[in-house]
Amino acid sequence: MIDITKPFVIYATCTVEYEGRACSTLDEGNYIILYKKDKSLLIHSGDKSTPINYQPSGTLLHLDGQQILARRKSEMIKITMRQIIHYACLENWSINELKIRKTERELVNKIVNNMSDYIDREGVVTCEYPTELGKIDIMLEEKGGVKHIIEVKRCKATINHCVQLEKYYNAIGEPQSRLYIAAPSIANSALNYAKSKNIKYIEVLFD
Amino acid sequence: MIDITKPFVIYATCTVEYEGRACSTLDEGNYIILYKKDKSLLIHSGDKSTPINYQPSGTLLHLDGQQILARRKSEMIKITMRQIIHYACLENWSINELKIRKTERELVNKIVNNMSDYIDREGVVTCEYPTELGKIDIMLEEKGGVKHIIEVKRCKATINHCVQLEKYYNAIGEPQSRLYIAAPSIANSALNYAKSKNIKYIEVLFD
DNA sequence: GTGTCAATGTCGATA
DNA sequence: TATCGACGTTGACAC
C-alpha cells in the first residue's frame, strides 16, 4: 500500500524513536509524516512550525510491516505505526525557490550602489562594519577620517533605531562622526528625536 | 468542502504570496499546506526540512473560493489554489513533547553535580569556560591556581577530541593545568594517545 | 568536501 | 509582553 520510493504524506497513530546526535522518544499520538523528494523526513506534531522530529536530506527508508526505519549516516529514526489514518503519494511535488523582496539587504545595496545620491561625500564604503556592539549596516569613511554611520531599516524608522545608532556612535568613539538613519519612512516622534540628536534621516524606497 | 476551523493538510497546485517582515512570492506548483491546532500555517516544497513559507502560531484563515488568506498581526499569506489534489481534515492531531536523552549537557551536569567522584580536588567549577578557541565544557580551578580542564563527549572519545583538549591547554597557557577527556567510552587508539599526552580519561555513563 | 555566518530563523525561559 | 540565549539549529556561500 505504502510506496516508500516516492514522496508521501502519512497521518498515523504512532510512536517515534530517534538515535544519533542525541536520543529521543515521542509518546504515541497522531502525527503527520512527510517524506520529500530530496529524501528528507519530517514528523509534525499538532503545534509549532518546526517538526517535532526530522531527518535531513539523504535519508533512506525501509518499510517493515507497520514500521518505518529511516537511516542517514549515523542517525536513525524508527516510526512504529499502530494505525494509518491517512496516506497519500505526492506525485510531482514542486521544488521552487521563494523569491524574497523588500529586505533590508535590498535597501543597503541600493544605498551603496548610489551613495552619492544620499551622502555628498567621497570615501571608502564598508557594509557590516564591525564594532563591539554589533555591526554597522553601512560605514562611509572619508580620507580625512570623518566617519559616516548609516543604520538601515526596511520598515518605518523609530526612536529605538535612533538610540541604536547613538550606541554605535559611542562605540566608535570619534566625536566628529556623523549619523544617518535610512528607511522608507520615519515616525514623527523619531524624526523630532533624530533632529535633536543631529541624526539625519535618509529616505530610501523599495524599487 | 474545506473546513478551515480545523487542522488540515492540503496538497494543491497553487501560488503563494507573503507580505510582512519582508515580501515574497512563490511560483505556481504543487505544495503541501499544513494548518495546525495552534493556528500555525506551513507551506512545504518538495525539498528542504524547513517550510518554504510559513506563518507562526496565531494565524487566522479566511477562505474565499479557491483562495486562502492567512493573517497574523501585520503579516499576511495569500494562497491561490488552481487545483486541490488532496485534502484531509486532521482530527485529534496530538501535541506532545519530544523527550531528549543522552545529550552532552546531561553528562556535563552529572560530572558537575558529583565532581568529587571524578576529580579528587576542591575548587571553583565553571561550565562553558570561555577561551580564544571556544568554550571549555568544564573548568575546575583550585585555590592554588591549578586548572583542571575537562572536555565532555556524549559518544566514544577519539584522538581528535584529545587534540582539541590540547588546544585549550595551549590557549590557557598555564603549563601546570591538567587535562581530562570524559565520555561513556574511548577508542583504544585515543586512550593510548591520551596516556602519552598525560590526558586522563574519565568514564561517565548515561543514567 | 569543511568552516563560517545570516535567518521573515524558531523556541523556550526570564524579567 | 519584550528581551536574551540556545538549537540534534537549518541553509547558504566561501574556501
Side-chain angles (χ1 to χ4, degrees):
Chain A
M1 175 196 172
I2 294 176
D3 182 354
I4 57 166
T5 66
K6 289 181 180 172
F8 61 76
V9 56
I10 290 176
Y11 186 52
T13 306
C14 58
T15 61
V16 180
E17 287 167 82
Y18 164 78
E19 186 143 354
R21 284 179 255 185
C23 292
S24 71
T25 56
L26 180 58
D27 287 345
E28 184 174 279
N30 296 333
Y31 306 103
I32 279 281
I33 304 160
L34 286 174
Y35 188 56
K36 294 193 172 187
K37 266 187 172 174
D38 68 347
K39 301 186 190 305
S40 55
L41 180 76
L42 311 179
I43 297 149
H44 274 273
S45 171
D47 66 348
K48 310 284 172 63
S49 55
T50 49
I52 193 160
N53 217 330
Y54 65 90
Q55 198 86 274
S57 174
T59 295
L60 293 182
L61 299 192
H62 299 271
L63 182 64
D64 181 9
Q66 293 279 85
Q67 190 161 291
I68 295 174
L69 228 72
R71 290 180 180 281
R72 178 190 175 271
K73 294 184 178 175
S74 59
E75 297 183 296
M76 190 264 299
I77 282 181
K78 186 166 69 181
I79 303 171
T80 308
M81 298 180 286
R82 191 159 61 75
Q83 194 197 350
I84 295 171
I85 303 167
H86 201 85
Y87 163 77
C89 178
L90 304 176
E91 303 274 6
N92 302 315
W93 199 347
S94 302
I95 293 179
N96 274 318
E97 298 265 310
L98 193 67
K99 287 162 191 149
I100 296 177
R101 296 175 305 114
K102 299 195 182 178
T103 60
E104 183 177 305
R105 181 93 219 140
E106 199 175 319
L107 291 182
V108 167
N109 289 341
K110 184 172 178 179
I111 293 172
V112 169
N113 293 330
N114 307 279
M115 185 56 86
S116 59
D117 293 353
Y118 301 99
I119 296 180
D120 189 25
R121 298 296 178 112
E122 298 283 324
V124 178
V125 176
T126 312
C127 290
E128 315 264 310
Y129 186 97
T131 76
E132 296 169 350
L133 297 174
K135 292 173 182 172
I136 292 169
D137 290 328
I138 306 172
M139 166 68 86
L140 170 62
E141 294 174 273
E142 291 187 53
K143 264 188 182 168
V146 176
K147 290 192 170 80
H148 301 259
I149 301 169
I150 309 172
E151 174 71 14
V152 181
K153 288 295 153 192
R154 59 169 300 282
C155 50
K156 185 179 278 194
T158 67
I159 291 180
N160 276 345
H161 299 147
C162 297
V163 173
Q164 181 63 26
L165 201 42
E166 291 174 84
K167 287 183 184 169
Y168 289 142
Y169 178 79
N170 293 327
I172 291 290
E174 297 180 18
Q176 79 278 20
S177 300
R178 302 191 186 173
L179 304 180
Y180 306 82
I181 180 95
S185 64
I186 185 167
N188 268 326
S189 57
L191 188 56
N192 290 331
Y193 182 85
K195 279 177 183 165
S196 74
K197 297 290 186 176
N198 216 24
I199 296 169
K200 192 175 169 193
Y201 167 60
I202 295 176
E203 185 186 58
V204 54
L205 301 171
F206 288 109
D207 295 321
Chain B
M1 175 196 172
I2 294 177
D3 182 353
I4 58 165
T5 66
K6 289 181 179 173
F8 61 76
V9 55
I10 291 176
Y11 187 52
T13 307
C14 58
T15 62
V16 180
E17 287 168 81
Y18 163 79
E19 186 144 353
R21 284 178 259 184
C23 293
S24 71
T25 56
L26 179 59
D27 287 345
E28 183 173 280
N30 297 332
Y31 306 103
I32 279 283
I33 305 160
L34 286 174
Y35 187 57
K36 293 194 172 188
K37 266 188 172 172
D38 67 346
K39 301 186 190 303
S40 56
L41 179 77
L42 311 178
I43 297 148
H44 274 273
S45 170
D47 66 348
K48 310 284 172 64
S49 55
T50 48
I52 193 159
N53 216 331
Y54 64 91
Q55 197 88 273
S57 175
T59 295
L60 294 181
L61 299 192
H62 300 270
L63 183 63
D64 182 9
Q66 293 278 85
Q67 190 163 291
I68 295 173
L69 228 73
R71 289 180 181 282
R72 177 191 176 272
K73 294 185 178 175
S74 60
E75 296 183 296
M76 189 265 297
I77 281 182
K78 187 167 69 182
I79 303 171
T80 307
M81 297 181 286
R82 191 160 60 75
Q83 194 199 349
I84 295 171
I85 303 167
H86 201 86
Y87 164 77
C89 177
L90 303 176
E91 304 274 6
N92 303 314
W93 200 346
S94 302
I95 293 180
N96 275 317
E97 298 265 310
L98 194 68
K99 287 165 190 146
I100 297 178
R101 298 174 303 114
K102 299 193 182 179
T103 59
E104 183 177 304
R105 180 95 220 138
E106 198 176 317
L107 292 183
V108 167
N109 289 341
K110 184 173 178 180
I111 294 171
V112 169
N113 293 330
N114 308 278
M115 185 56 87
S116 59
D117 294 354
Y118 301 100
I119 296 180
D120 190 25
R121 296 297 178 114
E122 300 283 324
V124 178
V125 176
T126 312
C127 290
E128 315 265 309
Y129 186 98
T131 76
E132 296 168 351
L133 297 175
K135 293 173 181 171
I136 293 170
D137 291 327
I138 305 173
M139 167 68 86
L140 168 63
E141 292 174 275
E142 290 186 54
K143 264 188 182 168
V146 176
K147 290 192 169 79
H148 301 260
I149 301 169
I150 310 173
E151 175 71 14
V152 181
K153 288 296 153 192
R154 60 171 297 282
C155 48
K156 186 179 278 195
T158 67
I159 291 179
N160 276 344
H161 299 148
C162 297
V163 172
Q164 180 61 28
L165 200 42
E166 291 174 83
K167 288 183 182 167
Y168 289 141
Y169 178 79
N170 294 327
I172 291 290
E174 298 179 18
Q176 78 279 20
S177 300
R178 301 190 188 174
L179 304 180
Y180 306 81
I181 181 95
S185 64
I186 185 167
N188 266 326
S189 57
L191 188 57
N192 289 331
Y193 182 85
K195 279 178 185 166
S196 74
K197 297 292 184 174
N198 216 24
I199 296 170
K200 193 176 169 191
Y201 166 59
I202 295 176
E203 184 186 60
V204 53
L205 301 172
F206 287 110
D207 296 321

